[in-house]
Amino acid sequence: MTKMQHSRPISGASQASGSKEVIKIRGWVERLGHELDEMMKRVSALVRQESPTSHSDAVNAARETVAKWAEELGARVTRHARGGSRGVLEARFGTPKDERRPVLLLGHLDTVWPVGMLARMPWRVADGWAYGPGVLDMKAGVVMALTAMKLVREVDTDRPVVLLLSGDEETGSHDSRELIEEVAKECRAAFVLEPAQGPQGAYKTARKGVGQFRLEIRGVPSHSGVDFGAGHSAVRELAWQIEQISALTDLDRGTTLNVGVVGGGTQSNVVAAEAWADIDLRVTTVAEAEMITRRLQALETRDAQCTLRLAGGLNRPPMERTEGTAKLFAHAKALAAQLGFALEEAATGGGSDGNFTSALGVPTLDGMGAIGVGAHAENESIRIDSLPSRTALLAAMIATTV
Ligand SMILES: [Zn+2]
């Protein structure tokens, strides 16, 4: 292709008719079919490089592997110290002088699995599926992004694309959020490499918001045998509070509160002085999050001698289905049809870094990574034969989003 063609927008399915520059994206699927072994080698390498959020050296080692791949493709790579000890990887493709706003490819390198988990759930391929810790969430997605960029650069070397991979997504992106938001603000659209939804691989156009709270209770301790009446049990108070909190769940509105972890007390013969609970909140709108937060703050003790303290709040705002996101999805659906498959959209209760970009008003499509099952579960796996078409679609989306 000539230089002149490089600098022109390339037609996608939605404006394809009559243009001689229509990308032969069907060719991309076939081509990636031939390169599938190469892709799977990379997925395998990354899965074997265990990278739990809590282990910054391990996350940074995985980051280095991906940084080298990006540099081979001509990206300008920054290994950020920002984003905490598990710093963010930023790989910029394209020519700085190109004035098109970049597309953001957003993902993460950390997994929920501790180092050593490979012994229990080893990398293996069987019946067209590949298994291993983090393979679906989201090491395959990271490899898909780099493979897609290889295709995109062949037709449009100048196109600005930022690949941003954090190292603390699985614990809420507390350290990387600021950088993600800063980069997202300059971008035309955000494509999130999280796993697709369901066996058909739907893209995610809406996600619930996620709140994280801790309720701490102080009671009055006493000896349960000698002086039971003087005690005011924080554990008993907690049991009552759990019911009050759970009663705020409203499934019709998509609002759920899960008291997922509790603790308290010291010994069975001591009336407990302290107890606590970690609460996960899911909501579909910011207004709902604010209402629930107020109600949690207004909780009152049943035992007047106990005291409550609530910490936390909304961590990820809901990713609402905006007009910009709907347009992106329509475009993706048309491209998928050209590739020969039907693309569905879905809403999910899970949060991702896409919640941050969407809340900033950046059109965001999520679930653009691999198809599989068992994210965060021991049967975590991807469907290998879905990689060529999914990656071709990702590449076509990057190449045609203007
Ligand atoms: Zn993930």
Side-chain angles (χ1 to χ4, degrees):
M1 224 178 230
T2 67
K3 186 69 187 167
M4 194 179 72
Q5 281 170 315
H6 285 165
S7 60
R8 259 188 242 161
I10 296 166
S11 307
S14 51
Q15 63 259 76
S17 58
S19 169
K20 288 179 182 166
E21 290 175 315
V22 172
I23 300 172
K24 300 286 182 255
I25 59 176
R26 276 183 180 281
W28 279 359
V29 179
E30 200 190 328
R31 154 117 179 254
L32 291 177
H34 295 309
E35 293 178 15
L36 188 52
D37 283 354
E38 223 37 55
M39 278 185 85
M40 289 307 294
K41 259 184 217 158
R42 286 191 165 184
V43 176
S44 159
L46 214 46
V47 168
R48 288 164 204 257
Q49 203 157 24
E50 295 178 287
S51 53
T53 319
S54 58
H55 199 315
S56 50
D57 287 349
V59 175
N60 285 335
R63 178 175 80 165
E64 203 44 40
T65 300
V66 177
K68 295 244 163 62
W69 292 340
E71 280 166 344
E72 281 168 25
L73 282 174
R76 303 179 300 286
V77 172
T78 309
R79 297 151 174 90
H80 284 278
R82 285 173 66 192
S85 52
R86 305 161 298 269
V88 175
L89 169 74
E90 178 182 337
R92 285 187 178 258
F93 298 87
T95 315
K97 65 174 166 39
D98 192 299
E99 279 168 8
R100 288 174 290 180
R101 289 174 73 194
V103 166
L104 174 61
L105 300 180
L106 188 55
H108 61 87
L109 288 162
D110 59 319
T111 75
V112 295
W113 301 108
V115 169
M117 201 61 199
L118 265 178
R120 244 172 78 185
M121 44 188 292
W123 167 260
R124 69 187 170 95
V125 171
D127 301 325
W129 291 73
Y131 298 78
V135 63
L136 175 64
D137 188 8
M138 58 153 58
K139 292 187 168 178
V142 171
V143 173
M144 286 171 66
L146 289 157
T147 309
M149 280 315 302
K150 190 170 85 168
L151 298 181
V152 170
R153 288 176 60 73
E154 286 173 8
V155 295
D156 189 357
T157 333
D158 294 336
R159 175 169 287 273
V161 176
V162 189
L163 171 66
L164 210 56
L165 301 175
S166 67
D168 65 341
E169 195 273 345
E170 294 292 4
T171 52
S173 306
H174 296 281
D175 291 332
S176 57
R177 177 175 183 170
E178 196 185 304
L179 186 59
I180 291 168
E181 291 181 335
E182 197 179 297
V183 173
K185 279 181 197 158
E186 62 172 292
C187 291
R188 162 72 184 83
F191 295 161
V192 188
L193 307 164
E194 291 286 351
Q197 179 97 336
Q200 304 310 320
Y203 277 3
K204 297 168 181 173
T205 53
R207 282 184 179 273
K208 284 185 185 178
V210 185
Q212 295 170 334
F213 295 89
R214 169 166 284 207
L215 180 69
E216 291 175 353
I217 301 175
R218 282 202 68 84
V220 179
S222 71
H223 190 300
S224 67
V226 179
D227 205 12
F228 182 82
H232 295 270
S233 171
V235 165
R236 188 174 176 202
E237 178 68 27
L238 175 62
W240 192 77
Q241 292 296 340
I242 288 171
E243 284 305 312
Q244 311 310 304
I245 294 163
S246 302
L248 297 174
T249 288
D250 184 340
L251 292 177
D252 291 339
R253 298 167 80 97
T255 300
T256 60
L257 289 96
N258 180 52
V259 180
V261 192
V262 297
T266 50
Q267 307 207 47
S268 62
N269 62 358
V270 177
V271 175
E274 289 173 335
W276 55 268
D278 285 341
I279 306 152
D280 173 285
L281 167 69
R282 306 281 161 151
V283 285
T284 53
T285 66
V286 172
E288 180 77 357
E290 286 168 354
M291 190 273 285
I292 295 290
T293 303
R294 280 196 301 274
R295 293 189 65 175
L296 288 173
Q297 285 163 344
L299 285 171
E300 286 179 8
T301 55
R302 186 174 64 159
D303 181 336
Q305 298 305 307
C306 291
T307 56
L308 302 180
R309 208 178 80 86
L310 183 78
L314 188 66
N315 168 235
R316 289 192 164 101
M319 170 177 152
E320 297 180 36
R321 189 182 187 277
T322 63
E323 200 182 317
T325 293
K327 273 189 191 157
L328 278 182
F329 178 74
H331 183 54
K333 195 177 168 73
L335 287 175
Q338 239 185 293
L339 291 170
F341 65 95
L343 184 70
E344 300 293 324
E345 68 178 307
T348 174
S352 86
D353 288 339
N355 291 56
F356 298 143
T357 60
S358 176
L360 290 171
V362 182
T364 299
L365 265 188
D366 206 331
M368 295 178 83
I371 296 179
V373 297
H376 300 199
E378 287 199 30
N379 64 336
E380 179 168 4
S381 48
I382 59 164
R383 225 184 74 203
I384 297 170
D385 70 0
S386 69
L387 287 182
S389 57
R390 303 280 299 180
T391 306
L393 177 58
L394 178 62
M397 283 298 288
I398 299 167
T400 60
T401 296
V402 289

